[in-house]
């Protein structure tokens, strides 16, 4: 059956490509000499935060008109040195305040630049002993995750009103991990240094309490699969010339395995 299906797809693709004209697209330059950028929204307009060739961290609003994006109100919010190397950049708009998280490779500090619609810039920083993996804003807290230098996952929570910090140390001997947020839930995938043949994944609530059981599968790649977390939690990966996916389906405050692991041949 799978060979018949493959043969049908081959014929279909051949017919499709022979009857459709190939369109050609050209890329247009929006900003020249950009080292790093992040696009987000203030619920009204799209905005872009970027680091230019002179190591100025800037924010601009984006306007789309006549099939072209334009930049407006270009404002410098932070100045780095020429020799600096920026390893993390992310931006949020939360409770009518802009938050720009940025980190230089050798500083071991994550800087949060924040301002309101009057663009009165303020900064605060927090010590980070390794590169940040991911940052979120939830319930008036910045939550950030990273692997410490002794390979332990660190969860740090920063109060946006008082800037007081609280850190929790999690699993140790981590090789790498990915984490995503959907409303009040986190999805996390991770691999251990001493268990490289396995991938672990689970769902936690905003207090980091287990929302699902911990799943474990044979997965010998060091690179983690591509995760998607919307109403369900899915991750996709290729293995032995096949594409696999795994889905956890949300039902009555639990997540249930949706028919185990499925695959399609390529």
């Amino acid at each position: 059956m799978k060979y018949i299906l493959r043969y049908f797809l081959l014929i279909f693709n051949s017919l499709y490509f022979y009857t459709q004209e190939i369109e050609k697209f050209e890329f247009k330059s929006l900003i020249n000499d950009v080292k790093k950028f992040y696009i987000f929204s203030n619920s009204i307009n799209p905005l872009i935060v970027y680091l230019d060739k002179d190591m100025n961290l800037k924010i601009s609003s984006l306007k789309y008109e006549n099939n072209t994006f334009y930049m407006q109100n270009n404002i410098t919010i932070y100045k780095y040195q020429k020799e600096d190397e920026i390893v993390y950049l992310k931006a949020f708009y939360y409770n009518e305040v802009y938050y720009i998280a940025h980190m230089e490779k050798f500083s071991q500090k994550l800087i949060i630049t924040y301002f309101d619609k009057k663009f009165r810039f303020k900064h605060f920083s927090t010590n980070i002993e390794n590169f940040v993996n991911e940052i979120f804003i939830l319930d008036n807290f910045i939550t950030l995750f990273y692997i410490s230098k002794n390979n332990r996952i660190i969860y740090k929570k920063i109060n946006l009103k008082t800037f007081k910090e609280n850190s929790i140390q999690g699993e140790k001997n981590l090789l790498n991990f990915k984490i995503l947020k959907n409303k009040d839930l986190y999805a996390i995938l991770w691999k251990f240094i001493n268990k490289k043949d396995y991938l672990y994944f689970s769902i936690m609530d905003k207090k980091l309490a287990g929302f699902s059981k911990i799943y474990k599968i044979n997965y010998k790649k060091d690179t983690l699969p591509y995760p998607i977390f919307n109403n369900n939690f899915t991750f996709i990966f290729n293995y032995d010339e096949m594409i696999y996916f795994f889905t956890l389906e949300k039902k009555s405050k639990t997540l249930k395995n949706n028919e185990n692991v499925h695959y399609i041949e390529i």
Side-chain angles (χ1 to χ4, degrees):
M1 180 65 186
K2 68 178 180 180
Y3 296 106
I4 296 173
L5 178 60
R6 183 184 296 176
Y7 182 68
F8 171 77
L9 290 173
L10 181 62
I11 295 173
F12 175 80
N13 286 336
S14 300
L15 291 173
Y16 178 81
F17 284 118
Y18 274 116
T19 57
Q20 297 292 321
E21 183 178 347
I22 302 297
E23 287 192 63
K24 186 171 114 177
F25 294 92
E26 293 184 0
F27 290 101
K28 296 181 181 179
S29 174
L30 178 63
I31 320 170
N32 294 324
D33 299 314
V34 174
K35 292 182 174 292
K36 211 170 188 67
F37 75 94
Y38 187 86
I39 294 176
F40 68 116
S41 172
N42 62 0
S43 72
I44 299 175
N45 298 311
L47 300 107
I48 182 169
V49 176
Y50 67 96
L51 188 71
D52 68 14
K53 65 176 182 178
D54 297 318
M55 301 301 289
N56 296 306
L57 190 59
K58 297 181 177 180
I59 184 170
S60 300
S61 58
L62 296 175
K63 182 180 180 182
Y64 186 73
E65 193 175 85
N66 298 324
N67 296 322
T68 304
F69 273 105
Y70 297 93
M71 296 176 60
Q72 302 180 122
N73 306 320
N74 196 13
I75 299 172
T76 299
I77 60 177
Y78 198 86
K79 172 71 175 177
Y80 279 99
Q81 301 298 318
K82 285 279 189 178
E83 60 274 13
D84 289 339
E85 181 180 348
I86 309 307
V87 293
Y88 190 88
L89 178 62
K90 190 172 182 179
F92 305 88
Y93 182 72
Y94 181 78
N95 287 346
E96 300 185 348
V97 178
Y98 299 87
Y99 296 91
I100 317 299
H102 45 106
M103 183 174 182
E104 197 276 326
K105 183 176 182 178
F106 300 103
S107 67
Q108 293 190 321
K109 286 183 181 295
L110 176 75
I111 299 173
I112 308 292
T113 300
Y114 63 104
F115 49 92
D116 57 17
K117 59 185 177 182
K118 295 182 180 180
F119 291 94
R120 295 175 292 202
F121 300 109
K122 295 181 181 179
H123 313 277
F124 72 90
S125 63
T126 181
N127 293 327
I128 301 291
E129 61 178 302
N130 210 342
F131 302 146
V132 172
N133 182 283
E134 193 55 275
I135 297 176
F136 306 101
I137 293 184
L138 177 67
D139 294 342
N140 289 312
F141 285 89
I142 289 179
T143 57
L144 57 97
F145 300 82
Y146 66 94
I147 297 179
S148 66
K149 288 185 176 179
N150 62 355
N151 302 111
R152 184 186 288 273
I153 187 171
I154 303 295
Y155 163 74
K156 182 177 284 193
K157 196 172 181 180
I158 304 172
N159 190 308
L160 289 176
K161 294 181 179 179
T162 63
F163 302 117
K164 290 184 177 179
E165 302 180 7
N166 182 35
S167 295
I168 299 174
Q169 295 188 7
E171 292 280 6
K172 59 183 179 179
N173 295 323
L174 259 67
L175 177 68
N176 51 16
F177 77 98
K178 284 184 180 179
I179 189 160
L180 302 92
K181 184 173 76 68
N182 179 25
K183 297 181 181 177
D184 291 346
L185 295 176
Y186 294 107
I188 182 168
L189 298 86
W190 71 96
K191 294 202 76 174
F192 291 109
I193 293 173
N194 56 347
K195 300 176 183 178
K196 289 188 176 182
D197 289 349
Y198 300 101
L199 171 72
Y200 299 83
F201 52 97
S202 185
I203 310 295
M204 303 177 295
D205 63 19
K206 63 183 179 180
K207 295 181 180 179
L208 304 187
F211 192 82
S212 77
K213 64 180 182 181
I214 295 176
Y215 291 84
K216 170 186 172 183
I217 64 168
N218 290 312
Y219 184 85
K220 296 183 180 181
K221 289 189 172 186
D222 288 343
T223 56
L224 294 177
Y226 181 80
I228 303 167
F229 192 28
N230 39 44
N231 291 329
N232 301 324
F233 170 53
T234 300
F235 67 82
I236 303 169
F237 59 96
N238 68 302
Y239 210 83
D240 296 331
E241 297 185 338
M242 293 184 181
I243 293 178
Y244 293 81
F245 70 89
F246 187 100
T247 299
L248 292 175
E249 191 173 304
K250 185 176 179 182
K251 290 181 178 179
S252 302
K253 294 186 179 181
T254 63
L255 286 154
K256 296 183 178 179
N257 180 4
N258 185 18
E259 295 184 32
N260 224 330
V261 176
H262 309 262
Y263 66 88
I264 56 173
E265 288 195 85
I266 58 173

